[in-house]
Each structure stands twice: as C-alpha cells, then as structure tokens.
Amino acid sequence: MAKRIRVRAPELEGRGGWINTGDRELTLAALRGRIVIVDFWTFCCINCLHALDELRGLEERHRDTVVIVGVHSPKFLHEADHRAVLDAVERYAVEHPVLDDPELATWKQYAVRAWPTLVVVDPEGYVVAQYAGEGHAPAIERLIEELEAEHLAKGTLRRGDAPYAAPEPEPTILRFPGKALLLPSGTFLVSDTTRHRLVELTPDGEGVVRRVGSGQRGFADGPAGEACFSEPQGLALLDDGSVVVADTVNHALRRYDPVTGDVSTLAGTGRQWMRGEPTSGPARAVSLSSPWDVALWNDRVWIAMAGVHQLWAYDPRDGSVAVTAGTTDEGLVDGPGAEAWFAQPSGLAASGERLWVADSETSALRWVDLDGTVRTAVGTGLFDFGHRDGPAGQALLQHPLGVTALPDGSVAVSDTYNHALRRYDTATGEVSTLATGLREPSDAVVVGDEIVVVESAGHRLTRLRLPQETVRQAVVAHRTRRDVTEVAPGILRLEVVFRAPPGQKLDTRYGPSTRLLVSASPPELLRTGEGADTGPARLLELDPVVPEGVLHVSATAASCDDDPDIPFPACHVQQQDWDIPIRLADGAAGSLSLVLAGPDDAPA
C-alpha cells in the first residue's frame, strides 16, 4: 500500500450549528476511530445534489465504519438562512449530520475552492484525500476499503452506528412541491417532490383527488399506486391529454395518463448521462441528467437539463431525444443554440415564438427564438444576484426556478431565493415585483385572472390576483396557410404591408413599429435572410439546389390611437403568422407581398 501524506484535519465549526444530530454538538475528536467523509455542499448546486445521490450507496454499504458529515457552505444570500438549510436537508433527504457554516469558517480552514468538495479523514483524524466535483464515489470507496484494512490491522478502526437523528415528519398534504399543471378537468397536478409522487388536487388546491406513486424512492412503471418516482419536478400536458413528468433523480421522462392512472417511461435509462455518452437517439437508449422542467413547444417536449447545463428535446412523433442548446459549459453566453451557455436551467414556459427559460445559477431570465438562438432578458452572470426592479439591464433576481407566460405577453418569474413573484414586461423591458413573502416559490400557473403559485418551502399552492394589465390580451396572432407559390430562385424580396386601422397611426416613438421574423423548412432553403429584425421588408436568398420548402413568416406591428385630444392614447399590437409553401421555378416572380391584417379585417 502506497504511503499517503497525512495532514491533521481542522475541527468542524459553523455558527449555524448542527442538523440531524438531535441537538448534539459533534467534533472530529468524538468521531476518532471512524472514517469521516466531509461533504462541502450548498443546496442550489446541482453537482452537490449529484454528489449526495452518489454518497447514498456508499453510506449504506459502509454504515458501521464511515460517517458522512455535510458542511453547508452557502453561495447565495438565501442559503445563509438557517431555516432554509433545515428545509434543504429535509427536501433532499440528507440522512447524515450537517453543519450549517454560513460564514464559511470550516470551508476556509480546509482551503476549499469549489462546490462540491469531498474530504476523507482517516480513523486517526488525518486528511488523506480531497476531491472536487462529482463522480468520485468509486475512487472514494476504493480508498475506504484500503483504510478499513489498514486501520483494522493497526487496531485503530472503531465500528458503530452513525451519530444521525432523523427529524420528525410533518403531516402536510404536500412536501416541498416542485411544479404544478392545470389539467383540462380544472384540477391541479403537482409534483410532490420530496415524497416521490404526484398529487392531483381539487380546483381550490386544497383537497386530494388522487396520489400517483408509491411514495417510496424508486424507478418503476405501472398503476398509480405501484409506480415509483425519485424527486419528480416538471410537468407538461401533451395534445393527447397525457402528462410528461421530469423524473429528476431517476434522470428520466415519465408519462402519466390522468384517465387510467398508469405511469410509463418515455426517455432515459435511469442512469445519469456522463461526458462522452450519446446526446441523441432513441429516447429509451439515451441517458439524461437531472431533467428539472419540461414544456411542449413547436411539437417537441423541451427539457431543462439542469444536470448538464443544456436544453434537450423529446420528439413524441418518433420517440427520440437530442440536445437543442448548450455546450455543457456553465455560464451565461447568448448566441446560436450550439454555442450558448446555460447554468442549471430549471424552469420553462412556451409563449408563441419564444421558449422562456429560468436559468437559476446565473439568476437569469432567458429565451430561445424559433431559429434556436438563445437570448437573455435579465441577468449578467454566475455571481450577480439580488432583488432589484427597474430596466431589465439593471434588474436582479436570485436563483429563480420557475417561469410562467402571462396572457398579455409578459412573463412571471418565480424568484425562488427572493421569496417573490416578479414580472418581466416584454414590451417595455421593465422588471417589477408582483408579490413577496412567498416561501421559495418554484412555479406558477395562470387560472383566469389569478395566478396559483407553488410555495415549495411553504408546502402549498397560493392563489394571487393578477394585475389587470397582465390579463388583457395585448396580441392576437393568426396563422395562415396558402397554396404552393412559385418564386424565382436566388434573391426574393419579401414585404409585409401594414396599414394602421382607421383612427390609429403607426407607433414610432421608440423606433420602428414593425418586426419581421423569417425561417424556413428545411433550413437549407434560405442562404441568407433568416432571423428577426425591424422593418417590413427583407431580401431573402433562396438556394436553387433546394427545389421546394416552406417559408415561416411572423410579422408584428404597433399602432396608437390618433386623437390629439387624448393625452394618453391606447396602443395596439397586431401579429400574424404565415406558413407559405414555395416551389422554385425559373421565370417566376422575384417578390412576395403579404398583408398584415388589422383587428377589423383579421381572418377567422
């Protein structure tokens, strides 16, 4: 056995005190004779949660020789709140002693630099190894086996039970719920995350209609009472009435049928995706990594893959999955999907031509355009957070987990660590606060002129009245199809004609009053001209080697009431979408004109 360099382990100190010990103070001196694994973690960090899951099996197999001690070392301000740490220990089923170290005293003594970090202390009280990041459980187990043999031979190994005292369970209907979904029946389906099941609640959010799942952590399909989940989160309704469930710690997508109560598996192998493994293919053959939320957008189920800082998508038509955005690098970088960086995306909401993303670790609100481009509305980086309203470029969030599209086109953000519901106005770029005093809100659902918020740490749904301006339908979109249009190959001039309705004028106070978004199927049809820009006209270059396809055009125009006697005239937005089948033909027209209908002549 190779000789190891040993350093005396510093004592464990933290102003927050001990959790899961029955109010007893622990010291390393009192644990002498046991192998101690010190886990430096913080509850916002998906890698820390992965490490907790990896340690469960090791903890069970070496229960009489190993003691795991968590040292909670906060990143966000909210994580320094002792009550929040207590919640996190229960939420993630941490079944070992945890030291709350809000001032990072022990973190500094051990010279830790990253979340998570695992430190191994031998039975004589010396540090013998330190590992940063996740995926180290096999190496740690080999080291444990060596230490067991070595110290058994020396007589310095002491066996016994771990100093763990389980907290008393709380008798609540929900326990740390994650996400919610309004079913066509008017009832709510809620992911009862810590109890590893789904709960269907009555329309008032108070009574239980059905529980789905055995309540035991596991991975099993079958009827509602026998199926097993592991910390499920996101929910999305499919066109056939079934529900896709992001089964987070099983690294899988599940399907729940509200009619029969049956649960089956759509995607994932049950194992966490590791670097170098496939990122596309048959859904049941490709591993996922901590899917946190799901949303149906453009005929695919988009997945907030928190574990690898990416967005993926599941295609119900052929049962495949593929990466759609993100490189697996953690950070905030906009651009084409293949080049963008995310940081633990945890909430999704589809809204017309945008997919909104709550990018939690960068405290950001972001979106994906129809062409796959990733953009940021609010947020600047991994360590910039707070609670500040105002222009989006100056506003601050703190680790948001949920995002909800509002009827007026604005977005509600479940600003989790600020205990608030925030609003981003897409028309003005302003961020405001709708409500405070919510306990770790993680999702919200619009029901008429109200919004139902999932208070995760409050173990309940809370109903709030929406401000009147957010429930007014500001945009009416129409989608029109037409017969195949023959156009000349090469340059095509596209023009959208808009005339303000009688009594109105174009709104040019803040620049051009029109916006044009163009894409094509297949994408190769367009050499240039795709994307979004202001102005009603665009020059497109069509590739002559692609004989036919479909142009997708979305046009928006703003107008205001034209009455000099009204000091604050009302403004209006008209929007129309076209899917235009085209065929390239020599000698055909080199221009295409579309008419954007006003509210009085819009197509039915």
Side-chain angles (χ1 to χ4, degrees):
M1 184 180 301
K3 185 175 181 180
R4 285 182 290 270
I5 298 175
R6 302 194 306 168
V7 177
R8 177 67 69 182
E11 194 50 80
L12 305 176
E13 299 176 358
R15 183 174 55 80
W18 287 93
I19 302 169
N20 281 353
T21 63
D23 296 325
R24 289 178 297 162
E25 296 286 326
L26 288 188
T27 63
L28 282 180
L31 296 175
R32 199 64 51 82
R34 311 291 293 279
I35 301 166
V36 178
I37 299 174
V38 184
D39 175 19
F40 291 89
W41 69 296
T42 187
F43 62 78
C44 73
C45 165
I46 192 66
N47 308 93
C48 298
L49 303 186
H50 289 166
L52 281 174
D53 292 328
E54 292 171 359
L55 291 173
R56 294 185 203 281
L58 187 153
E59 193 171 22
E60 180 61 34
R61 289 188 295 275
H62 300 271
R63 185 166 295 278
D64 64 338
T65 59
V66 172
V67 174
I68 297 176
V69 175
V71 177
H72 188 267
S73 313
K75 169 188 172 182
F76 288 97
L77 179 65
H78 171 61
E79 293 173 312
D81 181 343
H82 184 68
R83 184 181 183 186
V85 181
L86 287 170
D87 285 341
V89 168
E90 180 186 353
R91 182 196 301 269
Y92 298 116
V94 180
E95 297 182 349
H96 52 249
V98 173
L99 176 65
D100 181 10
D101 183 18
E103 296 171 346
L104 303 181
T106 296
W107 166 283
K108 295 171 185 175
Q109 286 293 314
Y110 279 77
V112 174
R113 294 291 181 268
W115 295 279
T117 292
L118 302 171
V119 176
V120 181
V121 180
D122 72 11
E124 293 179 295
Y126 290 92
V127 173
V128 292
Q130 183 166 312
Y131 305 84
E134 59 179 281
H136 298 296
I140 292 174
E141 186 152 30
R142 288 193 295 272
L143 175 58
I144 286 171
E145 291 168 351
E146 291 180 9
L147 291 172
E148 287 174 338
E150 175 185 343
H151 288 274
L152 182 63
K154 291 174 63 175
T156 51
L157 184 68
R158 177 169 58 86
R159 298 181 184 273
D161 294 330
Y164 166 68
E168 288 293 324
E170 296 282 343
T172 53
I173 293 175
L174 301 172
R175 203 69 189 163
F176 298 103
K179 307 288 183 181
L181 177 69
L182 182 66
L183 294 175
S185 62
T187 58
F188 293 99
L189 187 66
V190 184
S191 52
D192 194 17
T193 304
T194 296
R195 291 182 176 147
H196 314 295
R197 65 189 179 191
L198 312 178
V199 177
E200 185 178 350
L201 298 177
T202 52
D204 62 4
E206 300 289 341
V208 175
V209 176
R210 172 192 277 177
R211 291 185 172 90
V212 183
S214 67
Q216 300 298 314
R217 186 191 296 271
F219 190 6
D221 292 339
E226 300 175 13
C228 294
F229 299 93
S230 186
E231 298 182 28
Q233 287 280 352
L235 307 165
L237 188 68
L238 294 182
D239 294 335
D240 64 2
S242 64
V243 177
V244 178
V245 182
D247 193 7
T248 304
V249 179
N250 277 329
H251 310 292
L253 297 188
R254 315 291 291 281
R255 178 183 182 273
Y256 164 61
D257 187 334
V259 177
T260 66
D262 289 341
V263 175
S264 56
T265 300
L266 294 176
T269 62
R271 300 184 306 277
Q272 183 185 345
W273 180 90
M274 296 296 175
R275 194 173 298 277
E277 294 184 352
T279 55
S280 64
R284 291 296 305 275
V286 177
S287 294
L288 310 182
S289 182
S290 297
W292 207 276
D293 202 7
V294 282
L296 182 63
W297 187 57
N298 288 341
D299 300 321
R300 291 188 293 173
V301 177
W302 286 63
I303 310 165
M305 202 73 77
V308 285
H309 316 297
Q310 290 180 311
L311 302 182
W312 290 36
Y314 166 76
D315 193 331
R317 295 164 294 190
D318 62 8
S320 65
V321 292
V323 175
T324 52
T327 64
T328 74
D329 292 305
E330 185 178 12
L332 194 155
V333 176
D334 289 344
E339 301 173 11
W341 291 22
F342 293 93
Q344 215 168 300
S346 301
L348 299 175
S351 178
E353 62 186 43
R354 290 182 178 181
L355 178 73
W356 293 98
V357 183
D359 201 28
S360 62
E361 278 292 285
T362 53
S363 298
L365 172 64
R366 308 176 73 184
W367 81 85
V368 182
D369 280 329
L370 287 174
D371 63 2
T373 302
V374 177
R375 306 182 192 278
T376 298
V378 182
T380 56
L382 281 165
F383 297 95
D384 302 316
F385 57 87
H387 190 155
R388 181 194 297 155
D389 288 341
Q394 302 174 18
L396 294 173
L397 308 170
Q398 187 180 181
H399 198 80
L401 291 178
V403 60
T404 306
L406 298 179
D408 70 330
S410 64
V411 180
V413 179
S414 295
D415 193 6
T416 310
Y417 286 5
N418 279 328
H419 305 291
L421 188 67
R422 312 286 292 284
R423 176 179 177 245
Y424 170 68
D425 189 330
T426 53
T428 65
E430 291 285 319
V431 175
S432 57
T433 297
L434 295 176
T436 58
L438 304 166
R439 286 200 62 199
E440 293 192 14
S442 56
D443 196 21
V445 180
V446 174
V447 183
D449 60 357
E450 297 180 319
I451 189 165
V452 177
V453 181
V454 180
E455 282 195 80
S456 187
H459 319 295
R460 63 186 174 226
L461 304 186
T462 297
R463 192 178 296 261
L464 304 172
R465 178 74 64 176
L466 280 169
Q468 189 59 40
E469 65 269 17
T470 67
V471 297
R472 188 179 299 120
Q473 292 284 353
V475 176
V476 178
H478 310 280
R479 181 172 293 275
T480 61
R481 290 185 177 271
R482 45 171 72 191
D483 295 333
V484 174
T485 299
E486 290 192 342
V487 297
I491 300 299
L492 175 69
R493 176 178 171 79
L494 172 67
E495 182 177 15
V496 175
V497 178
F498 173 72
R499 287 182 294 274
Q504 298 180 23
K505 63 180 180 180
L506 291 177
D507 180 11
T508 57
R509 293 172 298 167
Y510 306 108
S513 62
T514 55
R515 181 177 183 272
L516 197 59
L517 176 69
V518 180
S519 60
S521 299
E524 295 79 16
L525 175 64
L526 280 179
R527 280 183 169 176
T528 60
E530 73 277 6
D533 203 350
T534 57
R538 183 87 58 87
L539 290 180
L540 312 179
E541 184 180 0
L542 306 177
D543 193 334
V545 303
V546 182
E548 59 184 24
V550 178
L551 282 179
H552 307 292
V553 180
S554 178
T556 305
S559 59
C560 291
D561 291 345
D562 188 14
D563 186 341
D565 295 329
I566 301 177
F568 301 103
C571 293
H572 315 269
V573 177
Q574 283 78 44
Q575 180 177 328
Q576 191 162 331
D577 301 335
W578 295 265
D579 293 324
I580 308 167
I582 63 172
R583 181 184 302 119
L584 304 191
D586 291 331
S591 63
L592 179 62
S593 182
L594 305 171
V595 177
L596 175 56
D600 298 325
D601 56 355

